[in-house]
Structure formats: structure tokens, C-alpha cells
Amino acid sequence: MSVDVHQHLWTPSLVDALRHRTRPPYLDGWTLVLDGEPPYEADPADHDVEIRRKRNAHLDLALVSLSSPLGIEQLPPEEAWPLIDAYHADAHALPAPFGAWAAAPVTDPDPVRLSHALDQGLAGLQLPATALGDARGLALAAPLLDVLEERGLPLFVHPGPAAAAGPAWWAAVVPYVQQMHAAWYAFEAFGRPRHPRLKVCFALLAGLAPLHRERQLSRGATGRGLVDPDLFLETSSYGPRAADAVIRELGIDVLVAGSDQPYAESAWPDPGDPAQRAVDHAVRVANPGRLLSRKESHQ
């Protein structure tokens, strides 16, 4: 089963809910208005379910999620929940090959509402890296992570809001990467001891955070040579060179394919020689299968 674990799709109910808002984040027609960023002109075709379905006809499963850089998860609960409920309402009914990650406001970590959303068949929970970059953030999110761990479902860590401070590519290359570094190392230091069996997938190869392992160890960290089999890295926006470096550090078994559609296309190469086909099968089929399979907790 070929899987893409990282796509975004603004469903009709979410679009309507964003258009009913008068302060960021909101939509004015198809113009997205966020705090600290210039207006973004979205292409309606990017969020047309039928067009996207045809674009992904080669996949068995494409997991969509709320766009965390919009900042919805970090709004006050009375503003966040209507948007998240609207997203969930349509996410449950998306046609094949789509599935969806659940969302939850980090300002109101409600395990009961998350459980209800997961009962509808969602794949796991996405949270913004900005909410998971230190011990306090992980402690606040712990009730949500407990639900995932009990059900054997994964957490997907995605970059959160980032103010535009330079050219158009700046947010994706500087603050997004910094956020993912913080979330990767914070989970290792504070999250894993609290959630020993939680499966976690970090978008965009965790900003290449694992490649700083040598520096981490030189500053007193322990665990040389250990690989956490329940930490996964998703490949969006990186190509073969970056993926190869991560494979050399952590092995092939932790990589899963993601594209970040509609904002990017998959940079993962098409299989060529038999060796590449074996790697492709691991990243598109076998590893996502382990990430998304339910396994019972023994806590």
C-alpha cells in the first residue's frame, strides 16, 4: 500500500468557517490572512477534493491534516474548536485515497474530544512543533499523547506559525527548521521518558535534527548508536542527499514518504534499479505501515 503521510486539504466546512472569521486566521474569498505574514492567494483547485483525488490516484493512502502554520491549534479554545470541528466534520467523509490526521487546540488539551475524533477512524493526531519544543509544552500536551499511546496511534509533528521575516522561502527554511529541531530534541529529553511507547513522526526530516547527533554527544548526551524504532521522519521538501544522510545516521526503517501537497510535490525519486526499488518500498509501504498500524499499549 503506497502511502503519503503529509498533505493538506482545506475542506469545504473549514473554508466556510475561516470565511466567517474577521481576524487572523481568516479567508477573504481565497485570500488567506495570517498574523505577521502578507496575504496569501490560495488556488481553489489545490483544495478541490475531486481534483486532488485524481492527482493522487497512484496512492493507496494520502493523509491530510490541518495546516498548523495557520495557528488554529494555538487560538483560544472558543475560537479554535469551531475551526477544528469543521475540519473534522469533512475529514471523516473524504473519499479514497484520503485519510486524515486529527487536530486539537493546545490551549484546551481535551482527551475526550480527541478520543471521539479518533473513534471516527482518523489516523492519529497532528500537533504544531511550536507547542512541543520544551518540557512545558510536552507536559501540557501529555493528556493528548496519553490517548494516542493507549490506542497505539501516532503523533505527527508539523511546523507551526512563523512570521515572514525575509524572502518567500524564509519561513520554510529558517523558523520551520528551528521548530523541528526543538521538537525533536525536546521529545527525546522530556517526551520519551513520559511516553515510552508513543509513535511519533516528524515532518521534513525533523529539519535534519538527527544529523546533529555528533554535536549532541560531544556536549554530554548519552545513547551513542541507539535508534528509537518508534520515531519516524517524513521526507517532504528534502531530496535524496538529505535522505541518504539521515539513513546513514538512523537507518532506512524510520523514513516515511510525504509530499506536503499542495505546497510542494514529493522529492522522493522514482524507483530505478532494484536497490532503489527496495528503498522505495520501505519508505512508501513498509515503514508507513508500521507507523500507522495500531498496537496495544502495555502501560
Side-chain angles (χ1 to χ4, degrees), residues 88-145:
H88 284 163
D90 286 344
H92 297 313
L94 287 171
F98 294 111
W101 297 97
V106 296
T107 53
D108 182 26
D110 187 330
V112 174
R113 291 180 80 154
L114 174 60
S115 294
H116 178 70
L118 296 173
D119 286 342
Q120 306 305 309
L122 298 183
L125 172 67
Q126 176 186 277
L127 288 176
T130 45
L132 303 172
D134 54 27
R136 180 177 180 274
L138 283 161
L140 290 172
L144 303 177
L145 306 190

Short mmCIF file of all heavy atoms in Angstrom, two decimals, residues 88-145:
data_model
loop_
_atom_site.label_atom_id
_atom_site.label_comp_id
_atom_site.label_asym_id
_atom_site.label_seq_id
_atom_site.Cartn_x
_atom_site.Cartn_y
_atom_site.Cartn_z
N HIS A 88 -12.78 18.45 11.13
CA HIS A 88 -13.08 17.05 11.40
C HIS A 88 -14.35 16.59 10.70
O HIS A 88 -14.43 15.45 10.21
CB HIS A 88 -13.22 16.83 12.91
CG HIS A 88 -11.93 16.79 13.65
ND1 HIS A 88 -11.84 16.93 15.02
CD2 HIS A 88 -10.66 16.61 13.22
CE1 HIS A 88 -10.58 16.85 15.39
NE2 HIS A 88 -9.85 16.67 14.32
N ALA A 89 -15.35 17.46 10.63
CA ALA A 89 -16.63 17.07 10.04
C ALA A 89 -16.45 16.58 8.61
O ALA A 89 -17.10 15.61 8.18
CB ALA A 89 -17.60 18.25 10.09
N ASP A 90 -15.60 17.26 7.84
CA ASP A 90 -15.37 16.85 6.46
C ASP A 90 -14.29 15.77 6.35
O ASP A 90 -14.34 14.92 5.46
CB ASP A 90 -14.96 18.05 5.61
CG ASP A 90 -16.13 18.97 5.30
OD1 ASP A 90 -17.28 18.53 5.47
OD2 ASP A 90 -15.89 20.12 4.91
N ALA A 91 -13.31 15.81 7.24
CA ALA A 91 -12.20 14.85 7.16
C ALA A 91 -12.70 13.42 7.28
O ALA A 91 -12.19 12.51 6.62
CB ALA A 91 -11.17 15.15 8.26
N HIS A 92 -13.72 13.22 8.11
CA HIS A 92 -14.26 11.87 8.28
C HIS A 92 -14.84 11.32 6.99
O HIS A 92 -14.88 10.09 6.80
CB HIS A 92 -15.37 11.87 9.35
CG HIS A 92 -14.91 12.26 10.71
ND1 HIS A 92 -13.78 11.74 11.30
CD2 HIS A 92 -15.42 13.14 11.61
CE1 HIS A 92 -13.63 12.26 12.50
NE2 HIS A 92 -14.59 13.12 12.71
N ALA A 93 -15.29 12.20 6.10
CA ALA A 93 -16.04 11.77 4.92
C ALA A 93 -15.25 11.87 3.63
O ALA A 93 -15.82 11.71 2.55
CB ALA A 93 -17.32 12.60 4.81
N LEU A 94 -13.94 12.12 3.70
CA LEU A 94 -13.16 12.24 2.48
C LEU A 94 -13.12 10.92 1.73
O LEU A 94 -13.03 9.85 2.32
CB LEU A 94 -11.72 12.67 2.83
CG LEU A 94 -11.54 14.12 3.25
CD1 LEU A 94 -10.12 14.34 3.78
CD2 LEU A 94 -11.83 15.07 2.10
N PRO A 95 -13.15 10.97 0.39
CA PRO A 95 -13.12 9.74 -0.40
C PRO A 95 -11.70 9.16 -0.45
O PRO A 95 -10.72 9.85 -0.18
CB PRO A 95 -13.57 10.20 -1.78
CG PRO A 95 -13.09 11.62 -1.87
CD PRO A 95 -13.25 12.17 -0.47
N ALA A 96 -11.61 7.90 -0.83
CA ALA A 96 -10.31 7.29 -1.08
C ALA A 96 -9.61 8.06 -2.20
O ALA A 96 -10.25 8.55 -3.12
CB ALA A 96 -10.49 5.83 -1.47
N PRO A 97 -8.27 8.21 -2.11
CA PRO A 97 -7.37 7.55 -1.18
C PRO A 97 -7.10 8.33 0.11
O PRO A 97 -6.13 8.04 0.81
CB PRO A 97 -6.08 7.45 -1.99
CG PRO A 97 -6.06 8.74 -2.77
CD PRO A 97 -7.52 8.97 -3.14
N PHE A 98 -7.95 9.29 0.43
CA PHE A 98 -7.62 10.18 1.54
C PHE A 98 -7.97 9.58 2.89
O PHE A 98 -8.99 8.92 3.07
CB PHE A 98 -8.35 11.52 1.38
CG PHE A 98 -7.90 12.31 0.20
CD1 PHE A 98 -8.75 12.50 -0.88
CD2 PHE A 98 -6.63 12.85 0.15
CE1 PHE A 98 -8.34 13.23 -1.99
CE2 PHE A 98 -6.21 13.57 -0.96
CZ PHE A 98 -7.07 13.76 -2.03
N GLY A 99 -7.10 9.83 3.83
CA GLY A 99 -7.35 9.68 5.25
C GLY A 99 -6.96 10.99 5.89
O GLY A 99 -6.58 11.95 5.20
N ALA A 100 -7.01 11.08 7.21
CA ALA A 100 -6.74 12.37 7.85
C ALA A 100 -6.15 12.19 9.24
O ALA A 100 -6.42 11.21 9.94
CB ALA A 100 -8.02 13.21 7.93
N TRP A 101 -5.34 13.17 9.60
CA TRP A 101 -4.86 13.34 10.96
C TRP A 101 -5.88 14.18 11.73
O TRP A 101 -6.42 15.15 11.19
CB TRP A 101 -3.51 14.05 10.99
CG TRP A 101 -2.39 13.33 10.32
CD1 TRP A 101 -1.92 13.52 9.06
CD2 TRP A 101 -1.57 12.31 10.90
NE1 TRP A 101 -0.86 12.69 8.80
CE2 TRP A 101 -0.62 11.94 9.92
CE3 TRP A 101 -1.53 11.69 12.15
CZ2 TRP A 101 0.35 10.95 10.16
CZ3 TRP A 101 -0.57 10.71 12.39
CH2 TRP A 101 0.36 10.36 11.39
N ALA A 102 -6.10 13.84 12.98
CA ALA A 102 -6.93 14.67 13.85
C ALA A 102 -6.17 15.94 14.22
O ALA A 102 -4.95 16.03 14.06
CB ALA A 102 -7.31 13.90 15.12
N ALA A 103 -6.91 16.91 14.73
CA ALA A 103 -6.33 18.15 15.23
C ALA A 103 -6.89 18.42 16.62
O ALA A 103 -7.95 17.91 16.99
CB ALA A 103 -6.64 19.32 14.31
N ALA A 104 -6.18 19.24 17.39
CA ALA A 104 -6.63 19.60 18.74
C ALA A 104 -5.98 20.91 19.14
O ALA A 104 -4.80 21.14 18.82
CB ALA A 104 -6.28 18.51 19.75
N PRO A 105 -6.72 21.79 19.81
CA PRO A 105 -6.08 23.03 20.29
C PRO A 105 -5.18 22.74 21.48
O PRO A 105 -5.59 22.06 22.43
CB PRO A 105 -7.29 23.90 20.69
CG PRO A 105 -8.38 22.94 20.98
CD PRO A 105 -8.15 21.74 20.12
N VAL A 106 -3.98 23.26 21.43
CA VAL A 106 -3.06 23.07 22.56
C VAL A 106 -3.44 23.98 23.72
O VAL A 106 -2.91 23.81 24.83
CB VAL A 106 -1.60 23.30 22.12
CG1 VAL A 106 -1.18 22.26 21.09
CG2 VAL A 106 -1.41 24.71 21.56
N THR A 107 -4.34 24.92 23.48
CA THR A 107 -4.86 25.77 24.54
C THR A 107 -5.96 25.09 25.34
O THR A 107 -6.40 25.62 26.37
CB THR A 107 -5.41 27.08 23.94
OG1 THR A 107 -6.34 26.73 22.89
CG2 THR A 107 -4.28 27.92 23.37
N ASP A 108 -6.43 23.94 24.86
CA ASP A 108 -7.51 23.20 25.53
C ASP A 108 -7.32 21.72 25.23
O ASP A 108 -8.07 21.13 24.46
CB ASP A 108 -8.88 23.67 25.04
CG ASP A 108 -10.02 22.95 25.75
OD1 ASP A 108 -9.83 22.50 26.89
OD2 ASP A 108 -11.10 22.84 25.14
N PRO A 109 -6.28 21.09 25.82
CA PRO A 109 -5.99 19.68 25.50
C PRO A 109 -7.04 18.76 26.09
O PRO A 109 -6.93 18.30 27.23
CB PRO A 109 -4.61 19.46 26.12
CG PRO A 109 -4.49 20.47 27.21
CD PRO A 109 -5.30 21.66 26.76
N ASP A 110 -8.05 18.47 25.31
CA ASP A 110 -9.23 17.72 25.76
C ASP A 110 -9.13 16.28 25.26
O ASP A 110 -9.42 15.99 24.10
CB ASP A 110 -10.49 18.39 25.22
CG ASP A 110 -11.76 17.79 25.78
OD1 ASP A 110 -11.76 16.58 26.10
OD2 ASP A 110 -12.77 18.51 25.86
N PRO A 111 -8.75 15.33 26.12
CA PRO A 111 -8.60 13.94 25.66
C PRO A 111 -9.92 13.30 25.26
O PRO A 111 -9.94 12.40 24.41
CB PRO A 111 -7.97 13.23 26.87
CG PRO A 111 -8.30 14.08 28.05
CD PRO A 111 -8.36 15.48 27.53
N VAL A 112 -11.03 13.74 25.84
CA VAL A 112 -12.32 13.15 25.48
C VAL A 112 -12.69 13.51 24.04
O VAL A 112 -13.12 12.66 23.25
CB VAL A 112 -13.41 13.61 26.47
CG1 VAL A 112 -14.79 13.11 26.02
CG2 VAL A 112 -13.10 13.12 27.88
N ARG A 113 -12.53 14.78 23.68
CA ARG A 113 -12.85 15.20 22.31
C ARG A 113 -11.89 14.55 21.31
O ARG A 113 -12.30 14.18 20.20
CB ARG A 113 -12.83 16.72 22.20
CG ARG A 113 -13.97 17.36 22.96
CD ARG A 113 -13.97 18.88 22.85
NE ARG A 113 -14.56 19.34 21.59
CZ ARG A 113 -15.13 20.52 21.44
NH1 ARG A 113 -15.20 21.37 22.48
NH2 ARG A 113 -15.63 20.90 20.29
N LEU A 114 -10.62 14.41 21.70
CA LEU A 114 -9.70 13.72 20.81
C LEU A 114 -10.12 12.26 20.62
O LEU A 114 -10.11 11.75 19.50
CB LEU A 114 -8.28 13.79 21.36
CG LEU A 114 -7.24 12.97 20.58
CD1 LEU A 114 -7.14 13.43 19.13
CD2 LEU A 114 -5.87 13.03 21.27
N SER A 115 -10.49 11.59 21.70
CA SER A 115 -10.92 10.20 21.59
C SER A 115 -12.11 10.07 20.65
O SER A 115 -12.18 9.13 19.84
CB SER A 115 -11.27 9.65 22.97
OG SER A 115 -10.13 9.58 23.81
N HIS A 116 -13.04 11.00 20.75
CA HIS A 116 -14.21 10.96 19.87
C HIS A 116 -13.79 11.10 18.41
O HIS A 116 -14.30 10.38 17.54
CB HIS A 116 -15.20 12.05 20.25
CG HIS A 116 -16.40 12.10 19.36
ND1 HIS A 116 -17.38 11.14 19.37
CD2 HIS A 116 -16.77 13.00 18.39
CE1 HIS A 116 -18.30 11.43 18.47
NE2 HIS A 116 -17.96 12.55 17.87
N ALA A 117 -12.87 12.01 18.13
CA ALA A 117 -12.40 12.18 16.75
C ALA A 117 -11.70 10.92 16.25
O ALA A 117 -11.92 10.48 15.11
CB ALA A 117 -11.47 13.39 16.66
N LEU A 118 -10.88 10.32 17.09
CA LEU A 118 -10.16 9.11 16.69
C LEU A 118 -11.12 7.94 16.50
O LEU A 118 -10.87 7.05 15.67
CB LEU A 118 -9.09 8.76 17.72
CG LEU A 118 -7.96 9.79 17.87
CD1 LEU A 118 -7.06 9.42 19.04
CD2 LEU A 118 -7.15 9.92 16.58
N ASP A 119 -12.20 7.93 17.24
CA ASP A 119 -13.21 6.87 17.07
C ASP A 119 -13.81 6.88 15.67
O ASP A 119 -14.35 5.86 15.22
CB ASP A 119 -14.34 7.04 18.09
CG ASP A 119 -13.94 6.64 19.50
OD1 ASP A 119 -12.92 5.92 19.65
OD2 ASP A 119 -14.64 7.06 20.45
N GLN A 120 -13.73 8.01 14.98
CA GLN A 120 -14.27 8.12 13.63
C GLN A 120 -13.30 7.62 12.57
O GLN A 120 -13.59 7.71 11.38
CB GLN A 120 -14.64 9.58 13.34
CG GLN A 120 -15.57 10.21 14.36
CD GLN A 120 -16.83 9.41 14.58
OE1 GLN A 120 -17.52 9.08 13.62
NE2 GLN A 120 -17.15 9.11 15.83
N GLY A 121 -12.14 7.10 13.00
CA GLY A 121 -11.22 6.48 12.07
C GLY A 121 -10.04 7.33 11.64
O GLY A 121 -9.34 6.96 10.68
N LEU A 122 -9.79 8.45 12.30
CA LEU A 122 -8.63 9.27 11.94
C LEU A 122 -7.34 8.55 12.33
O LEU A 122 -7.29 7.74 13.25
CB LEU A 122 -8.72 10.64 12.62
CG LEU A 122 -9.94 11.47 12.21
CD1 LEU A 122 -9.91 12.84 12.86
CD2 LEU A 122 -10.04 11.60 10.70
N ALA A 123 -6.28 8.87 11.59
CA ALA A 123 -5.04 8.09 11.67
C ALA A 123 -4.23 8.32 12.93
O ALA A 123 -3.44 7.46 13.33
CB ALA A 123 -4.18 8.40 10.45
N GLY A 124 -4.38 9.45 13.54
CA GLY A 124 -3.59 9.86 14.70
C GLY A 124 -3.80 11.35 14.88
O GLY A 124 -4.78 11.91 14.38
N LEU A 125 -2.89 12.00 15.55
CA LEU A 125 -3.03 13.42 15.87
C LEU A 125 -1.85 14.21 15.34
O LEU A 125 -0.69 13.82 15.55
CB LEU A 125 -3.13 13.61 17.39
CG LEU A 125 -3.10 15.04 17.92
CD1 LEU A 125 -4.36 15.81 17.49
CD2 LEU A 125 -2.96 15.05 19.44
N GLN A 126 -2.13 15.34 14.69
CA GLN A 126 -1.08 16.30 14.34
C GLN A 126 -1.08 17.43 15.36
O GLN A 126 -2.13 17.97 15.71
CB GLN A 126 -1.31 16.89 12.96
CG GLN A 126 -0.28 17.98 12.60
CD GLN A 126 -0.60 18.66 11.31
OE1 GLN A 126 -0.26 18.16 10.24
NE2 GLN A 126 -1.26 19.81 11.37
N LEU A 127 0.12 17.82 15.81
CA LEU A 127 0.30 18.99 16.66
C LEU A 127 1.43 19.84 16.10
O LEU A 127 2.36 19.32 15.47
CB LEU A 127 0.62 18.59 18.10
CG LEU A 127 -0.52 17.98 18.92
CD1 LEU A 127 -0.01 17.56 20.29
CD2 LEU A 127 -1.69 18.95 19.06
N PRO A 128 1.38 21.16 16.35
CA PRO A 128 2.45 22.03 15.85
C PRO A 128 3.72 21.90 16.68
O PRO A 128 3.66 21.77 17.92
CB PRO A 128 1.85 23.43 15.97
CG PRO A 128 0.83 23.31 17.05
CD PRO A 128 0.27 21.91 16.96
N ALA A 129 4.85 21.94 16.00
CA ALA A 129 6.13 21.85 16.70
C ALA A 129 6.31 22.98 17.70
O ALA A 129 7.00 22.80 18.72
CB ALA A 129 7.27 21.86 15.68
N THR A 130 5.71 24.13 17.43
CA THR A 130 5.83 25.27 18.35
C THR A 130 5.25 24.96 19.71
O THR A 130 5.60 25.62 20.70
CB THR A 130 5.12 26.49 17.76
OG1 THR A 130 3.84 26.09 17.23
CG2 THR A 130 5.93 27.12 16.64
N ALA A 131 4.36 23.98 19.80
CA ALA A 131 3.75 23.62 21.08
C ALA A 131 4.49 22.49 21.79
O ALA A 131 4.14 22.14 22.92
CB ALA A 131 2.30 23.20 20.87
N LEU A 132 5.52 21.92 21.14
CA LEU A 132 6.18 20.73 21.68
C LEU A 132 7.69 20.91 21.82
O LEU A 132 8.42 19.93 21.96
CB LEU A 132 5.90 19.53 20.75
CG LEU A 132 4.43 19.20 20.51
CD1 LEU A 132 4.30 18.13 19.43
CD2 LEU A 132 3.76 18.74 21.80
N GLY A 133 8.14 22.16 21.83
CA GLY A 133 9.58 22.41 21.78
C GLY A 133 10.27 22.52 23.12
O GLY A 133 11.45 22.85 23.17
N ASP A 134 9.56 22.22 24.22
CA ASP A 134 10.21 22.25 25.53
C ASP A 134 9.41 21.39 26.49
O ASP A 134 8.36 20.83 26.15
CB ASP A 134 10.34 23.69 26.06
CG ASP A 134 9.01 24.45 26.10
OD1 ASP A 134 7.94 23.80 26.23
OD2 ASP A 134 9.04 25.69 26.00
N ALA A 135 9.92 21.27 27.72
CA ALA A 135 9.29 20.39 28.70
C ALA A 135 7.88 20.86 29.04
O ALA A 135 6.96 20.04 29.20
CB ALA A 135 10.15 20.34 29.96
N ARG A 136 7.67 22.16 29.13
CA ARG A 136 6.35 22.68 29.48
C ARG A 136 5.32 22.33 28.41
O ARG A 136 4.20 21.89 28.71
CB ARG A 136 6.40 24.19 29.68
CG ARG A 136 5.05 24.81 30.06
CD ARG A 136 5.18 26.31 30.31
NE ARG A 136 3.90 26.89 30.67
CZ ARG A 136 2.99 27.32 29.79
NH1 ARG A 136 3.25 27.22 28.48
NH2 ARG A 136 1.85 27.84 30.19
N GLY A 137 5.69 22.54 27.15
CA GLY A 137 4.76 22.24 26.08
C GLY A 137 4.39 20.77 26.04
O GLY A 137 3.21 20.41 25.86
N LEU A 138 5.36 19.90 26.24
CA LEU A 138 5.07 18.47 26.24
C LEU A 138 4.22 18.08 27.44
O LEU A 138 3.36 17.19 27.34
CB LEU A 138 6.37 17.68 26.22
CG LEU A 138 7.05 17.64 24.84
CD1 LEU A 138 8.51 17.28 24.97
CD2 LEU A 138 6.33 16.66 23.92
N ALA A 139 4.42 18.73 28.57
CA ALA A 139 3.59 18.44 29.75
C ALA A 139 2.15 18.86 29.50
O ALA A 139 1.21 18.14 29.88
CB ALA A 139 4.16 19.16 30.97
N LEU A 140 1.93 20.01 28.85
CA LEU A 140 0.58 20.45 28.55
C LEU A 140 -0.12 19.53 27.57
O LEU A 140 -1.33 19.29 27.65
CB LEU A 140 0.61 21.88 28.00
CG LEU A 140 0.99 22.98 28.99
CD1 LEU A 140 1.16 24.32 28.27
CD2 LEU A 140 -0.06 23.11 30.09
N ALA A 141 0.65 18.99 26.63
CA ALA A 141 0.07 18.10 25.62
C ALA A 141 -0.05 16.66 26.11
O ALA A 141 -0.65 15.83 25.41
CB ALA A 141 0.92 18.13 24.35
N ALA A 142 0.48 16.35 27.28
CA ALA A 142 0.54 14.97 27.75
C ALA A 142 -0.81 14.25 27.75
O ALA A 142 -0.89 13.07 27.38
CB ALA A 142 1.18 14.90 29.13
N PRO A 143 -1.93 14.90 28.15
CA PRO A 143 -3.21 14.18 28.11
C PRO A 143 -3.58 13.71 26.71
O PRO A 143 -4.20 12.65 26.55
CB PRO A 143 -4.21 15.22 28.63
CG PRO A 143 -3.40 16.15 29.46
CD PRO A 143 -2.07 16.24 28.77
N LEU A 144 -3.22 14.47 25.68
CA LEU A 144 -3.49 14.06 24.31
C LEU A 144 -2.56 12.92 23.89
O LEU A 144 -2.99 11.96 23.24
CB LEU A 144 -3.32 15.25 23.36
CG LEU A 144 -4.16 16.48 23.66
CD1 LEU A 144 -3.82 17.60 22.68
CD2 LEU A 144 -5.65 16.16 23.60
N LEU A 145 -1.30 13.03 24.28
CA LEU A 145 -0.34 11.99 23.92
C LEU A 145 -0.67 10.68 24.62
O LEU A 145 -0.44 9.59 24.07
CB LEU A 145 1.08 12.45 24.25
CG LEU A 145 1.51 13.80 23.67
CD1 LEU A 145 3.00 14.01 23.87
CD2 LEU A 145 1.13 13.92 22.20
#
